[in-house]
Amino acid sequence: MPIVESHVHIWTQDENYPFAPTLPDVPVPTTDATAEMLLEETGKAGVDHVVLVQPSTYGWDNRYLADNIARYPQQLAGVCLVNPLDEQAPEQLEYWVREHNFHGVRLHAVRPDSASWFTSAQTDRIWRKAADLGIPICLLLDLVHAPMVEEMLKRFPEVDVVLDHMGRINVAEQPPYPVFSRFLELADFPRTYAKVSGMLHYSAEAYPFADTHPFFRMAKDAWGPQRLMWGTDWPMLLDKAGYLPRLTAVRDEMPFFSQSDLEWILGGTALRLWSFAE
C-alpha cells in the first residue's frame, strides 16, 4: 500500500505568488517551503503521494499549489480555498476543480465570524457545489464547533467531510473527556473522516508526543482505521520535529494501531478520497 500524506502546506518567496493572509494572527512566511523542499523530505521518508492544503497565507489565490500540482501530478493532489461569503464562491470552486485539478475545498470554521456564517444558508452554496463536483470538504475547526459541524452534516449527508487536526485537541482534558467526546460523536456520520495530524501543535511533550496518544486511540475506536488518515502539517513547527518523526510517531510509537490499521491510516483512507496521475 502506498504511503499518502494527507496534510501539508507549501509556499515560496517568489513575488509572482504574493501572500494575502485570510485569518488573523497568521504570520507571513519569511522562508521558503517549496514543493521541491517538501518532495525531498517525503522522498527520504518513503512517502509516495501528498495532499497539499492551500495555506491561509495565500488567501483565495490557489495558483502556487495549482502550478505545482501540474508540475508533479504523480506525487501531488490539492485542496483549495475559496471565500465562502463571496457570491461567486460556487463558480470559483468549480474553476479550481475543473481547470486546475483540485479535489477538495477547505473551510476555516475557526474564523472569528464563523458563528455567523458557517451554518448560514449562504454557506449551503459551497456544500451543494462540493456535492455536485464530488469533492470532499476539509474543515479546520475547534472542538467547540462540533455542534455546528453536525448541523451541516445533517443538511448534506452526501458530502465527504474531513476533520483537520482532530478538532485541535486539548491534551489537558481529563477523562471522561466531555469536550473531545462531543467531537467524537461526529463519527456517527458515515461520510466523515478525521486526520491523525497536528500532534505537534497540541503536545506538551517531546517525541513521541505521548500525551496525544489517548485522543488518537479514541479516534480509532470512533471512526475505525478506514476513516482515519495521517498528516504532518509540514512545514509547521520544524523547530519541534522534522518530517520523518511525524511519520514514525504514528507508524512506530502508537501500539494501538495494528499493521492492518496502519495500511489504512498511512495510505488507504486518503486514496479513497484523492487520486494521483499514473
Side-chain angles (χ1 to χ4, degrees), residues 31 44 141 144 197 217 232:
T31 59
K44 290 187 292 188
L141 69 151
V144 296
S197 64
R217 183 167 193 161
T232 66

Side-chain angles (χ1 to χ4, degrees), residues 6-195:
S6 71
H7 195 108
V8 302
H9 305 291
I10 60 171
W11 54 71
T12 177
Q13 297 298 310
D14 186 333
E15 61 185 13
N16 290 311
Y17 304 97
F19 297 124
T22 56
L23 289 175
D25 304 320
V26 172
V28 174
T30 57
T31 59
D32 277 343
T34 65
E36 289 74 21
M37 295 167 65
L38 166 69
L39 292 173
E40 181 178 359
E41 293 294 331
T42 58
K44 290 187 292 188
V47 174
D48 300 284
H49 307 294
V50 182
V51 180
L52 305 177
V53 178
Q54 169 79 346
S56 57
T57 49
Y58 279 130
W60 322 121
D61 181 0
N62 299 278
R63 289 180 303 119
Y64 183 59
L65 269 65
D67 289 350
N68 281 285
I69 292 167
R71 190 172 294 120
Y72 304 107
Q74 291 83 13
Q75 293 115 312
L76 303 179
V79 173
C80 65
L81 287 181
V82 298
N83 184 352
L85 303 182
D86 192 309
E87 290 295 326
Q88 298 301 311
E91 291 77 12
Q92 292 165 5
L93 178 56
E94 183 160 9
Y95 166 76
W96 290 111
V97 171
R98 302 287 193 200
E99 302 298 326
H100 292 285
N101 297 316
F102 281 88
H103 193 81
V105 61
R106 193 187 203 198
L107 298 180
H108 290 145
V110 295
R111 281 173 44 155
D113 57 352
S114 61
S116 64
W117 70 265
F118 186 73
T119 59
S120 71
Q122 188 177 19
T123 310
D124 287 359
R125 300 171 308 164
I126 292 287
W127 289 76
R128 283 196 297 268
K129 179 57 70 172
D132 291 343
L133 295 169
I135 62 171
I137 291 180
C138 299
L139 297 181
L140 178 62
L141 69 151
D142 288 324
L143 296 174
V144 296
H145 293 114
M148 291 195 304
V149 175
E150 182 174 327
E151 180 176 337
M152 299 307 292
L153 294 172
K154 289 177 178 177
R155 278 194 226 170
F156 296 95
E158 71 277 22
V159 176
D160 290 315
V161 175
V162 182
L163 306 170
D164 291 348
H165 305 327
M166 301 295 294
R168 313 212 307 182
I169 58 180
N170 175 11
V171 296
E173 188 178 10
Q174 297 297 310
Y177 305 104
V179 178
F180 191 65
S181 294
R182 185 68 183 83
F183 172 74
L184 293 175
E185 292 175 5
L186 298 176
D188 293 341
F189 294 86
R191 298 190 70 161
T192 59
Y193 299 79
K195 288 181 181 174

